């Protein structure tokens, strides 16, 4: 299942806390994303219904399905970004353009671009390209 840019921003905020070994709290997420707690709660409930995260009394954690969705979108972004830099754009320009459509490019196209590029391990910003 594909993620929107907005959904990704929520999942990355939650993942940041999970990576620190703690469940995320609604107030932390709303502060990170500069949205009201009510808006954050609504999006978190939406993401939970998609199976990307779990809520409990302790907080919010990313599911394996959520981690896969994050990796898929990050992979798409970093592969396209790498391709655009190869075409002559700066890394910043490539990143900004890529954010406009990375979530809508089919995985088969991402894979073909990745292979065409020689299967790079890192994007122009030095971040690993997930597989």
């Amino acid at each position: 299942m594909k993620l929107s840019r907005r959904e990704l921003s929520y999942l990355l905020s939650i993942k940041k806390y999970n990576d620190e070994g703690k469940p995320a709290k609604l107030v932390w997420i709303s502060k990170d994303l500069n949205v009201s707690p009510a808006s954050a709660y609504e999006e978190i409930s939406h993401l939970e219904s998609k199976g990307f995260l779990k809520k409990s009394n302790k907080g919010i954690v990313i599911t394996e399905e959520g981690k896969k969705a994050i990796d898929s979108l990050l992979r798409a972004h970093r592969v396209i970004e790498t391709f655009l830099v190869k075409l002559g754009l700066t890394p910043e320009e490539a990143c900004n353009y890529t954010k406009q459509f990375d979530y809508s490019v089919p995985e088969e196209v991402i894979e073909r671009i990745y292979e065409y590029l020689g299967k790079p391990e890192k994007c122009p910003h030095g971040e690993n390209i997930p597989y």
Side-chain angles (χ1 to χ4, degrees):
M1 189 177 297
K2 288 285 203 175
L3 285 177
S4 70
R5 176 74 37 203
R6 183 174 115 177
E7 290 170 327
L8 177 66
S9 64
Y10 274 85
L11 289 177
L12 289 175
S13 174
I14 295 164
K15 184 179 182 300
K16 173 179 71 173
Y17 297 107
N18 290 181
D19 288 350
E20 294 171 0
K22 55 190 172 192
K25 303 291 183 194
L26 179 66
V27 67
W28 301 342
I29 299 162
S30 66
K31 186 176 178 184
D32 284 352
L33 301 175
N34 199 28
V35 298
S36 71
S39 292
Y41 181 82
E42 185 176 318
E43 185 61 30
I44 288 164
S45 295
H46 167 76
L47 290 167
E48 183 179 38
S49 74
K50 287 182 148 185
F52 293 145
L53 54 85
K54 290 280 185 195
K55 296 185 294 188
S56 72
N57 291 340
K58 295 180 182 180
I60 306 156
V61 295
I62 300 281
T63 63
E64 285 304 312
E65 190 66 27
K67 290 175 187 174
K68 287 178 190 174
I70 290 170
D71 283 348
S72 178
L73 185 53
L74 289 177
R75 176 179 172 76
H77 180 88
R78 292 174 182 168
V79 167
I80 295 167
E81 183 179 61
T82 301
F83 183 64
L84 293 178
V85 167
K86 186 172 179 110
L87 293 176
L89 277 70
T90 67
E92 292 73 28
E93 290 171 329
C95 184
N96 289 332
Y97 284 122
T98 301
K99 286 178 184 176
Q100 296 176 33
F101 62 89
D102 54 5
Y103 57 88
S104 65
V105 178
E107 288 183 32
E108 304 84 52
V109 173
I110 297 301
E111 186 57 32
R112 288 195 181 196
I113 294 170
Y114 177 71
E115 289 176 13
Y116 173 79
L117 292 170
K119 300 182 179 183
E121 293 181 15
K122 297 194 180 286
C123 76
H125 294 99
E127 299 290 336
N128 288 334
I129 296 177
Y131 196 82

